[in-house]
Amino acid sequence: MKNTSIKLIIILFIILISCVEKSKNINQLQTEPVTDTLVEQGQVVINFKSDRKELLDYINIVDYETFYGNQPSMDKDRIDSTHLKLVLNSVTKSKIIEMVVFDAQELYQTRVFISPNDTLNIELIGGEMSFVGKNKHHGFFKSLDSLTNNWSSLAANKGLNHYKQQSVELYNEKINFYEDFIKKNNTTEEFNSQIKSEIKFEYLYNLVAPRSKKSADGAYNINDENGLGNLLGDSFLASEKELINLEKYFDGIELDYFKQNQHIANDFYKRSLVMYIRHYFTQQEFIDYTRENFERELLFINENLENNSANYAKGRLITDFFDKGFGLDVKNKNYLKSQIDTFLENDNLSDDYKSEVEKVKDELTILNSKIPDNILEEKLLTYDGDTITFKNLIESSKNKLLISFWGYRSRCKPCILGIQSLSKFDDLNYNIDFKYISVENNSDNWKNGLKSIQHLINEDHHYKILDDNMKSKMLSFFKVRINQTIAIPRYLAVDNNYNILMNNVPRPWDSLVFKNSLKNLYELNFGE
C-alpha cells in the first residue's frame, strides 16, 4: 500500500519539473486583501490571495481523518487571477489538515487547524505565506515552522540516549512556543487541545521511529518506519542495547493515552498508535511479519482498543502485514482473507477504511490466477528496438520472474533506488530473474535514463510499454495505473506458467523484508 503523503510529494515533484514553466513576471495584486466569507453549515472556506497566479493552480489538501490521508471533497472557485476560493465540504469536526501550495518557483507546505464553518484567509505574497483575519491563529504551524531547529536535523544513529535528549529539548521548545502563542491569541479549548496533542504525538512518533536514515539527497534525516527495534539491531548501537531502558526512553507512556478516540483525525496519533502497538506494547523483540506476530497484535487490539482506534489499528495491521509480504503462501493467504472478511463485517467502518482493506482482498484474490490472454499479448519494446509480447518476455526465462515497473523521466528517485537495490540481490541463488518494464511514453527518455545508470543494468532485461501508458491494459490490470495516476515503482512476481505469484512485492530497499519475500517466492508451492 502506498502512503498517500509519499504519493503527494512524488506527484508534486513531477508537476514541478514537467508541467509548469517558470514565469519571469510577478503578477501584482489587483484587488483588496481577502475578507471573511459567509460559510454554509459543515463547510470550511479558504480564501487564497497571491501575487503569483500560477501558485493558485496547484493547491493540495491532505485530510488525515481518512485512512491514509487523502484529499477531501472540495470545490474551487477562481474569483480572479489573484484570488481563489476553496471550499472544503462535509467538515464535521475540528482537525489538523496538511496544505501544499506550489508552482515551479515557490513551495509552501504547512499544517492548518480547521473547524466546521470556519473561514481562513491566506496570502502568498513576496515569497511569504501569511494568515490574516479573525482566524489567523489557525495558521499556528506556519509560525511554528519558523523555528530554526526541527526534527529532520536530529540523527538517531549517533546514539539513542543522545537522540532522546535532543528530542526532549526540541519538544520542550515547541511546547514553550505553543504556550506563548495561546497567551497572545484568542484561541479555543478545542484549538489548544488539538495543537498540544499534535506536538506531543509528533514527539512520540519520532521516539518510536527514530531518524536514523538519510533522505535521498542526503540533506536531512528521516524516520525509520521499521521502528526502534530495527535500530537496536544495528551493530553500530550494539553497545547501547544494555543501556537503553525502553520504559524510561518512552517516558513511561501508558496505553490509556492511545485510547483517546478523539485524536483519530490526527496524523501523528495514527502513526504512533500503530508503531507503539507493534514495537512496544506487544513486546515484540524482533519485528517480523509472521502469522504469530499478526495474531499477537490482533489479540492486543481486541483486548485494549475500541471504536475508531480499534478499526484503524486493525486496518493497518492487515494492510501493513500484506505490504510486507504476509499472505503470499496459500495457508496465510486464506487466513488473511478470513480476517479481512471479519473486518469488513463492521458496520461502523467509513468508506475509505473499507476501500483500502478491500484492495488487499482484491490483491489476494488474483494470487496464483492466470494472467489473462489479452494481457499476455500486450506489446513491449526491447532495448534493441524489437517488438515482443509480454508472453514472450515470460517465456524468455526458465525461472520465476520479478518484474519492476518503473520510469525515469519523472525523476522517480524510488525507481532508481529500486534498481540499485535489486542489483545487490542478483547473486542470491533463488532462481528468480529480474526484469524491468518502463512506463515511459518516449523511447528516447527511456534510453537516456538507462544510460545514466548503465553500470547497474543488463540491457537485455529492460523493456518498455509500447502503447501509451494511459491506454495500457497491462498497467491497469496489475494496478500500476489506477484511474489516471501511475504509481511507481511497483513489483510483480510471476512464474513461467503465467501464474501471478504476487502483485505487490515489498520494495527492495526494505532489504530484510524483501529478502524474505524472495525466499518465499523461491519456496512457493500453490499445490497445497
Side-chain angles (χ1 to χ4, degrees):
M1 295 292 170
K2 304 294 186 294
N3 183 289
T4 301
S5 296
I6 295 175
K7 290 194 289 187
L8 173 62
I9 297 301
I10 292 174
I11 292 170
L12 183 156
F13 190 66
I14 292 171
I15 295 174
L16 277 175
I17 65 168
S18 303
C19 301
V20 183
E21 294 184 357
K22 291 187 177 180
S23 172
K24 296 181 180 179
N25 298 318
I26 300 296
N27 301 295
Q28 299 299 318
L29 285 175
Q30 299 174 351
T31 54
E32 295 299 316
V34 294
T35 56
D36 293 332
T37 306
L38 292 176
V39 184
E40 294 185 13
Q41 187 67 29
Q43 290 185 335
V44 170
V45 171
I46 306 178
N47 290 302
F48 290 92
K49 202 73 152 180
S50 177
D51 57 0
R52 292 185 49 78
K53 65 180 181 180
E54 295 89 348
L55 278 172
L56 303 183
D57 292 332
Y58 301 104
I59 296 177
N60 289 285
I61 304 292
V62 180
D63 182 359
Y64 291 109
E65 190 172 358
T66 60
F67 190 75
Y68 277 128
N70 296 323
Q71 184 163 282
S73 169
M74 60 186 186
D75 300 313
K76 295 181 180 181
D77 182 10
R78 190 64 176 259
I79 307 301
D80 55 43
S81 62
T82 65
H83 180 194
L84 173 75
K85 184 172 83 170
L86 189 152
V87 180
L88 306 184
N89 300 308
S90 303
V91 179
T92 60
K93 64 177 68 172
S94 298
K95 54 189 169 184
I96 296 168
I97 61 173
E98 186 111 21
M99 180 185 300
V100 183
V101 185
F102 61 95
D103 68 2
Q105 299 182 42
E106 297 177 19
L107 168 66
Y108 306 91
Q109 183 171 3
T110 191
R111 298 194 176 205
V112 181
F113 175 84
I114 62 171
S115 285
N117 312 323
D118 263 353
T119 297
L120 299 180
N121 299 315
I122 301 174
E123 294 182 348
L124 308 165
I125 302 174
E128 295 292 332
M129 171 187 277
S130 58
F131 289 74
V132 298
K134 68 176 183 180
N135 289 325
K136 64 181 181 180
H137 61 279
H138 285 198
F140 164 84
F141 289 100
K142 186 67 185 72
S143 302
L144 185 65
D145 291 341
S146 65
L147 286 175
T148 54
N149 55 345
N150 50 57
W151 289 110
S152 64
S153 67
L154 306 189
N157 51 10
K158 293 182 179 180
L160 279 176
N161 286 316
H162 178 62
Y163 176 78
K164 169 63 184 297
Q165 180 183 348
Q166 287 185 306
S167 298
V168 171
E169 291 173 358
L170 180 53
Y171 168 71
N172 287 335
E173 185 171 0
K174 292 196 171 192
I175 286 294
N176 290 338
F177 183 95
Y178 153 80
E179 291 177 346
D180 185 59
F181 185 91
I182 63 175
K183 288 178 183 177
K184 296 177 179 178
N185 292 274
N186 184 25
T187 59
T188 64
E189 287 300 318
E190 180 70 15
F191 174 93
N192 297 347
S193 174
Q194 292 217 24
I195 299 298
K196 191 173 184 178
S197 292
E198 172 87 1
I199 297 172
K200 178 70 172 181
F201 283 119
E202 179 188 33
Y203 164 72
L204 292 176
Y205 176 70
N206 277 282
L207 288 186
V208 76
R211 290 181 177 267
S212 59
K213 295 183 176 182
K214 283 288 185 183
S215 59
D217 59 5
Y220 51 92
N221 301 311
I222 59 177
N223 299 100
D224 184 349
E225 294 185 356
N226 290 317
L228 180 64
N230 189 59
L231 188 61
L232 287 175
D234 194 306
S235 58
F236 183 81
L237 293 175
S239 61
E240 285 202 2
K241 287 183 181 179
E242 299 300 323
L243 302 178
I244 294 293
N245 180 320
L246 289 184
E247 185 174 353
K248 183 178 179 180
Y249 177 81
F250 289 127
D251 301 313
I253 189 168
E254 300 287 343
L255 178 62
D256 286 346
Y257 199 58
F258 292 97
K259 292 183 177 181
Q260 303 173 48
N261 280 277
Q262 71 269 26
H263 296 310
I264 199 61
N266 182 297
D267 176 32
F268 285 112
Y269 166 76
K270 292 165 85 170
R271 293 196 215 181
S272 298
L273 174 67
V274 173
M275 294 294 284
Y276 276 88
I277 291 173
R278 194 161 298 157
H279 297 265
Y280 183 59
F281 291 126
T282 55
Q283 298 181 338
Q284 299 180 42
E285 291 186 8
F286 179 73
I287 304 304
D288 196 6
Y289 294 86
T290 62
R291 181 163 172 173
E292 178 184 4
N293 282 348
F294 186 101
E295 291 175 339
R296 177 186 297 187
E297 196 168 320
L298 180 61
L299 178 63
F300 179 88
I301 295 169
N302 285 334
E303 290 182 344
N304 294 281
L305 298 178
E306 297 177 343
N307 304 323
N308 289 333
S309 295
N311 292 339
Y312 179 73
K314 288 178 185 178
R316 283 296 302 268
L317 171 63
I318 291 168
T319 56
D320 289 355
F321 270 64
F322 177 73
D323 281 349
K324 297 296 186 179
F326 181 69
L328 180 60
D329 58 286
V330 169
K331 186 175 181 180
N332 286 326
K333 168 187 170 181
N334 293 334
Y335 170 78
L336 188 56
K337 286 181 72 174
S338 70
Q339 293 301 324
I340 290 173
D341 289 338
T342 300
F343 178 81
L344 294 175
E345 289 173 358
N346 187 340
D347 294 331
N348 295 320
L349 292 177
S350 63
D351 289 341
D352 63 292
Y353 277 42
K354 289 181 180 178
S355 175
E356 294 299 337
V357 173
E358 284 172 344
K359 289 177 184 177
V360 176
K361 187 174 182 179
D362 291 343
E363 297 274 15
L364 290 170
T365 300
I366 68 172
L367 288 184
N368 199 37
S369 62
K370 292 285 186 182
I371 301 172
D373 289 342
N374 65 327
I375 305 301
L376 289 172
E377 294 305 319
E378 182 156 334
K379 300 282 195 301
L380 301 171
L381 187 67
T382 70
Y383 187 87
D384 293 329
D386 296 325
T387 299
I388 66 169
T389 65
F390 185 45
K391 184 177 183 180
N392 295 148
L393 184 157
I394 294 174
E395 291 173 341
S396 68
S397 175
K398 295 180 180 179
N399 298 319
K400 295 170 183 175
L401 292 173
L402 187 137
I403 297 169
S404 169
F405 291 97
W406 73 293
Y408 185 79
R409 186 171 185 270
S410 62
R411 304 300 191 270
C412 173
K413 291 182 179 180
C415 296
I416 305 304
L417 178 60
I419 292 176
Q420 292 172 337
S421 301
L422 283 174
S423 66
K424 300 175 183 178
F425 292 97
D426 275 334
D427 57 349
L428 291 179
N429 188 26
Y430 284 153
N431 295 330
I432 298 172
D433 294 334
F434 300 155
K435 303 284 187 178
Y436 303 84
I437 298 179
S438 172
V439 301
E440 300 287 357
N441 282 329
N442 186 291
S443 295
D444 290 337
N445 291 333
W446 170 50
K447 291 287 188 71
N448 290 335
L450 288 176
K451 287 178 182 177
S452 70
I453 52 173
Q454 192 76 33
H455 61 293
L456 296 173
I457 70 168
N458 180 335
E459 294 170 355
D460 292 339
H461 293 174
H462 281 265
Y463 307 83
K464 188 186 84 69
I465 295 288
L466 188 63
D467 293 331
D468 187 303
N469 56 28
M470 287 299 164
K471 297 179 181 178
S472 169
K473 294 179 181 178
M474 175 191 296
L475 296 185
S476 178
F477 179 78
F478 291 124
K479 295 182 171 57
V480 180
R481 185 186 75 243
I482 300 176
N483 298 322
Q484 298 301 304
T485 301
I486 291 179
I488 51 176
R490 189 175 176 92
Y491 302 93
L492 165 72
V494 300
D495 65 19
N496 50 21
N497 291 316
Y498 320 118
N499 294 310
I500 301 169
L501 304 181
M502 194 173 188
N503 190 35
N504 191 17
V505 181
R507 294 184 170 188
W509 54 84
D510 194 347
S511 57
L512 182 59
V513 172
F514 182 75
K515 186 175 181 180
N516 286 338
S517 296
L518 293 183
K519 183 174 183 291
N520 287 338
L521 287 169
Y522 173 70
E523 298 173 348
L524 191 60
N525 178 12
F526 277 106
E528 292 184 19

